[in-house]
């Protein structure tokens, strides 16, 4: 939605205050990860070519043109490897193959090459904290006796109590419930326990074991050899455990938690860096949920990882002050090590922004997810569109989760018997889980499966709502005011504008409920978080706005505009 030139009236003083950024050469392809727009594909729900109701690689292949028209630089596939799907693929049983429901290794190789031809790089997910309980290593461990070499790759321990029927410690799974499951001996008697920080189908690996380290370095090489440009590292701060497995304690000091953010991780990722550096322009991207900025930034030193998701920004409420503080902190912290920032509004784990931003509490926390929280989707959608323009204007990399560009809401009324997410089940059904943001995409047509699957009668792995006809790609492509059109215009401008992507930013001085960021002296993004319309700062042109501007070029509530600033004196 490119809006024609409008004259602005002076109310705010454009006083850019440049922030230090990392020095880099934007023309160098080796630094693509510093400013890329990366699109997250959840393969199960992107597009189904074979009609079985589950997305697949052939489906992605058919939609590559869509991704290239959208204007993304890279795609990140959540795990596409063989998996019993105890956690949507984050329980990998073989890193050197593709889950048969998605396709074949040959198809993955062809897809990586076909995407590259369209200028789109591929990022794959590696899940080093755990494997599937069907992984050959874990199966071998289960069938080997206590104390065997096979069990050393995991965390097997005898239980406490007289009969060993108490778990080895009181650690709690990230999905709720105890983090230990007891095994059975071949004669049927109760055996040792094994650790799983997530679901029981995801046994934790022992990163003190040299084979675990070597295997993962081989997995990186396996995928780099097939042309992938980056690795997204799942649960990157959890791999290393204190071998004594002590209780967590009240408030462990940073770095002293028995399994979060242990110092030994730095060395592990340094060795991954060496592998990545033996290829050209490959990126390592950490999923690091760490609130301490000093600890977080250690992972982004030049010899460790390249970048990490910015969850502080994602969890922020729709509030000018809170978002400004998060942005300032992000830029300052990343500047310390010369790493690029990333900006993320959503992913396959969190409530979709359209739903989140329409609630009374617009922040996100896993522990707060509940059924029946009222939301105003119209307000949510306005804010999500404005937030999109903000994220795409900020310096660094931006992530877009599939369906975000369509303005999809969270599906909050999935039939209980269709739910799959272990987070839901391990909360005894109190937490609705993450299925609501993983519903298959609507591509075309008036009713489910909305072109997701070629068979009208296909039974999708998660059912789509009956009221998504207005949200299909087909419809939104024809509507210049749609969320899809907004994302396309923004991504195109972001690519063309020399100041966007990586680099520095400054702030405009604005009213407290308005944010104004500048890029490169001639570009600004202004977001109105207040209840009343505001006048834009002096500008030559409104390049793009997240919703219709008001008469006289005033910016309505919950709206963002990209403007061209007048040339300086
Ligand atoms: C983070 C992933 O994003 C999430 O989907 C998964 O459940 C956990 N890690 C465990 O692998």
């Amino acid at each position: 939605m490119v809006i024609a030139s409008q004259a602005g009236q002076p109310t705010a003083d454009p006083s850019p205050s440049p922030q230090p950024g990392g020095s880099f050469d934007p023309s160098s392809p080796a630094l693509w990860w510093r400013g890329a727009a990366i699109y997250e594909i959840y393969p199960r729900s992107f597009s189904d070519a074979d009609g079985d109701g589950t997305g697949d690689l052939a489906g992605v292949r058919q939609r590559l043109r869509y991704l290239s028209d959208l204007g993304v630089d890279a795609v990140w596939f959540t795990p596409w490897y063989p998996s019993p799907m105890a956690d949507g693929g984050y329980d990998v049983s073989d890193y050197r193959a593709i889950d048969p429901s998605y396709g074949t290794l040959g198809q993955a190789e062809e897809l990586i090459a076909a995407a590259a031809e369209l200028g789109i790089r591929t990022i794959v997910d590696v899940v080093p904290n755990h494997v599937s309980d069907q992984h050959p290593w874990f199966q071998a461990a289960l069938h080997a006796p206590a104390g065997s070499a096979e069990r050393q790759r995991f965390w097997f321990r005898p239980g406490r109590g007289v009969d060993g029927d108490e778990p080895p410690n009181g650690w709690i799974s990230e999905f709720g419930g105890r983090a230990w499951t007891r095994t059975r001996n071949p004669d049927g008697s109760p055996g040792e326990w094994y650790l799983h920080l997530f679901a029981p189908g995801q046994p934790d690996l022992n990163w003190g074991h040299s084979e675990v380290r070597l295997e993962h370095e081989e997995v990186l090489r396996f995928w780099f050899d097939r042309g992938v440009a980056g690795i997204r590292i799942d649960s990157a701060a959890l791999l290393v455990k204190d071998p004594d497995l002590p209780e967590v304690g009240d408030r462990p000091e940073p770095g002293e938690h028995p399994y979060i953010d242990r110092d030994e991780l730095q060395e592990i990722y340094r060795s991954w860096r060496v592998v990545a550096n033996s290829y050209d322009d490959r990126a390592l991207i950490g999923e690091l949920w760490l609130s301490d900025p000093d600890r977080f930034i250690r992972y982004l030193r030049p010899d460790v990882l390249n970048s990490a998701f910015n969850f502080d920004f994602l969890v922020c409420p729709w509030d000018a002050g809170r978002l400004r503080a998060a942005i300032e902190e992000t830029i300052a912290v990343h500047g310390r090590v010369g790493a690029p920032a990333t900006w993320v509004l959503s992913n396959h784990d969190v409530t979709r922004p359209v739903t989140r931003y329409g609630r009374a509490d617009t922040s996100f926390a896993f522990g707060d997810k509940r059924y029946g929280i009222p939301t105003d989707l119209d307000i949510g959608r306005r804010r999500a569109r404005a937030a999109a323009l903000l994220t795409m204007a900020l310096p660094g990399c931006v992530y877009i989760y599939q369906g975000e560009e369509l303005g999809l809401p969270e599906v909050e009324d999935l039939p209980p018997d269709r739910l799959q997410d272990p987070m839901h089940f391990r909360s005894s059904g109190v937490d609705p889980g993450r299925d609501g943001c993983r519903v298959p995409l609507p591509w075309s047509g008036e009713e489910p499966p909305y072109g997701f699957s070629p068979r009208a009668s296909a039974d999708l792995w998660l059912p789509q709502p009956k009221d998504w006809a207005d949200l299909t790609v087909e419809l939104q492509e024809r509507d210049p005011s749609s969320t899809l059109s907004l994302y396309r215009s923004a991504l195109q401008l972001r690519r063309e504008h020399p100041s966007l992507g990586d680099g520095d930013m400054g702030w405009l001085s604005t009213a407290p409920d308005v944010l104004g960021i500048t890029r490169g002296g001639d570009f600004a993004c202004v977001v109105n978080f207040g209840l009343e319309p505001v006048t834009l700062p002096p500008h030559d042109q409104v390049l793009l706005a997240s919703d219709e501007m008001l008469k006289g070029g005033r910016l309505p509530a919950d709206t963002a505009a990209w403007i061209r600033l007048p040339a300086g004196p």
Side-chain angles (χ1 to χ4, degrees):
M1 187 189 357
V2 180
I3 293 173
S5 176
Q6 289 169 357
Q9 286 147 30
T11 50
D13 165 30
S15 55
S17 52
Q19 305 268 354
S23 63
F24 83 111
D25 171 6
S27 63
S28 164
L31 297 164
W32 65 271
W33 44 270
R34 293 192 64 97
I38 300 174
Y39 186 90
E40 178 189 351
I41 294 185
Y42 195 74
R44 236 175 164 183
S45 300
F46 185 72
S47 179
D48 169 24
D50 67 9
D52 67 354
T54 290
D56 46 44
L57 299 193
V60 180
R61 183 81 191 263
Q62 287 170 359
R63 310 282 188 186
L64 276 183
R65 181 56 63 187
Y66 170 78
L67 295 169
S68 128
D69 290 347
L70 181 59
V72 296
D73 304 304
V75 284
W76 149 36
F77 288 90
T78 61
W80 56 9
Y81 321 105
S83 163
M85 302 284 166
D87 180 21
Y90 283 93
D91 46 321
V92 178
S93 53
D94 178 2
Y95 273 109
R96 294 171 179 80
I98 296 294
D99 192 87
S101 68
Y102 296 153
T104 63
L105 183 59
Q107 282 179 311
E109 290 168 345
E110 283 166 21
L111 183 57
I112 294 165
E117 268 177 35
L118 292 173
I120 299 175
R121 290 176 161 89
T122 298
I123 296 167
V124 296
D125 219 313
V126 168
V127 190
N129 181 67
H130 44 266
V131 288
S132 161
D133 61 357
Q134 298 307 308
H135 189 283
W137 277 4
F138 192 72
Q139 284 299 310
L142 277 184
H143 292 101
S148 60
E150 287 82 352
R151 292 202 171 185
Q152 304 306 315
R153 299 188 190 113
F154 298 90
W155 295 98
F156 280 87
R157 290 289 184 278
R160 293 177 300 178
V162 201
D163 301 319
D165 53 7
E166 291 288 313
N169 67 23
W171 293 2
I172 301 293
S173 152
E174 300 286 312
F175 290 160
R178 53 165 69 135
W180 295 91
T181 291
R182 196 163 195 189
T183 60
R184 290 214 161 265
N185 295 319
D187 65 0
S189 60
E192 288 191 310
W193 297 71
Y194 70 90
L195 174 70
H196 51 86
L197 288 183
F198 293 91
Q202 297 168 292
D204 277 49
L205 288 163
N206 170 10
W207 273 84
H209 198 297
S210 59
E211 285 175 25
V212 171
R213 287 189 64 154
L214 282 176
E215 165 65 2
H216 283 82
E217 290 174 16
E218 286 305 314
V219 167
L220 300 188
R221 286 196 190 90
F222 182 88
W223 287 103
F224 285 150
D225 286 343
R226 278 160 184 76
V228 314
I231 304 284
R232 181 262 188 191
I233 308 166
D234 185 74
S235 305
L238 301 183
L239 280 49
V240 176
K241 279 86 192 175
D242 180 335
D244 296 334
L245 306 177
E247 295 300 342
V248 173
D250 247 4
R251 282 176 182 272
E253 289 295 312
E256 288 177 14
H257 191 288
Y259 59 83
I260 300 177
D261 181 30
R262 310 249 336 147
D263 286 341
E264 300 90 316
L265 282 166
Q266 303 295 316
E267 192 39 45
I268 291 171
Y269 294 134
R270 283 201 175 96
S271 67
W272 288 32
R273 171 88 270 138
V274 172
V275 175
N277 284 352
S278 67
Y279 296 80
D280 292 337
D281 70 353
R282 310 300 158 107
L284 298 173
I285 304 153
E287 189 215 13
L288 294 158
W289 286 87
L290 294 176
S291 53
D292 181 331
D294 294 329
R295 298 290 302 184
F296 170 85
I297 206 59
R298 297 165 81 234
Y299 292 82
L300 300 188
R301 290 176 289 181
D303 59 344
V304 194
L305 307 180
N306 297 91
S307 91
F309 299 95
N310 186 349
F311 293 121
D312 288 346
F313 181 78
L314 184 152
V315 300
C316 243
W318 182 249
D319 175 273
R322 297 281 293 278
L323 280 162
R324 180 174 176 139
I327 294 167
E328 280 176 334
E329 167 116 333
T330 299
I331 303 284
V333 164
H334 286 73
R336 276 159 51 187
V337 293
T342 68
W343 308 99
V344 192
L345 288 177
S346 68
N347 65 28
H348 63 284
D349 291 331
V350 306
T351 312
R352 289 227 183 239
V354 165
T355 300
R356 200 166 83 215
Y357 288 147
R359 290 178 172 161
D361 178 358
T362 49
S363 63
F364 177 79
F366 282 107
D368 292 347
K369 289 188 73 180
R370 290 293 176 269
Y371 281 101
I373 305 176
T375 183
D376 180 329
L377 293 181
D378 290 334
I379 292 182
R381 189 162 286 117
R382 283 185 75 83
R383 292 176 174 170
R385 289 166 60 108
L389 287 200
L390 175 63
T391 56
M392 288 191 255
L394 286 165
C397 241
V398 63
Y399 283 84
I400 298 159
Y401 171 49
Q402 67 179 42
E404 184 186 314
E405 80 281 16
L406 303 176
L408 298 188
E410 185 85 358
V411 181
E412 302 197 275
D413 55 356
L414 283 166
D417 63 340
R418 303 299 298 272
L419 295 178
Q420 306 250 347
D421 185 10
M423 225 167 186
H424 167 71
F425 295 106
R426 290 182 67 90
S427 74
S428 312
V430 170
D431 176 341
R434 301 164 295 176
D435 293 312
C437 65
R438 299 173 176 180
V439 171
L441 294 190
W443 290 93
S444 56
E446 301 285 318
E447 54 189 33
Y450 301 110
F452 171 76
S453 177
R455 266 189 332 116
S457 59
D459 183 23
L460 307 196
W461 77 276
L462 281 177
Q464 297 161 313
K466 298 228 167 12
D467 61 355
W468 272 12
D470 289 349
L471 295 170
T472 62
V473 170
E474 183 185 43
L475 208 95
Q476 295 203 37
E477 274 181 334
R478 286 193 247 123
D479 175 3
S481 70
S482 70
T483 301
L484 178 58
S485 298
L486 177 73
Y487 268 77
R488 281 188 179 172
S489 302
L491 286 166
Q492 190 187 333
L493 272 167
R494 189 177 180 276
R495 259 191 184 175
E496 288 165 0
H497 201 292
S499 310
L500 294 181
D502 193 32
D504 297 339
M505 63 161 280
W507 292 100
L508 293 174
S509 64
T510 51
D513 50 9
V514 176
L515 285 189
I517 62 153
T518 58
R519 305 291 314 270
D522 64 343
F523 176 97
C525 170
V526 182
V527 192
N528 181 6
F529 293 81
L531 298 173
E532 299 301 325
V534 294
T535 303
L536 285 171
H539 58 279
D540 289 344
Q541 189 184 1
V542 175
L543 301 166
L544 187 63
S546 62
D547 267 293
E548 251 178 74
M549 301 289 294
L550 300 174
K551 251 173 109 192
R554 294 190 343 128
L555 184 67
D558 294 326
T559 306
W562 284 6
I563 55 177
R564 194 168 73 213
L565 297 174

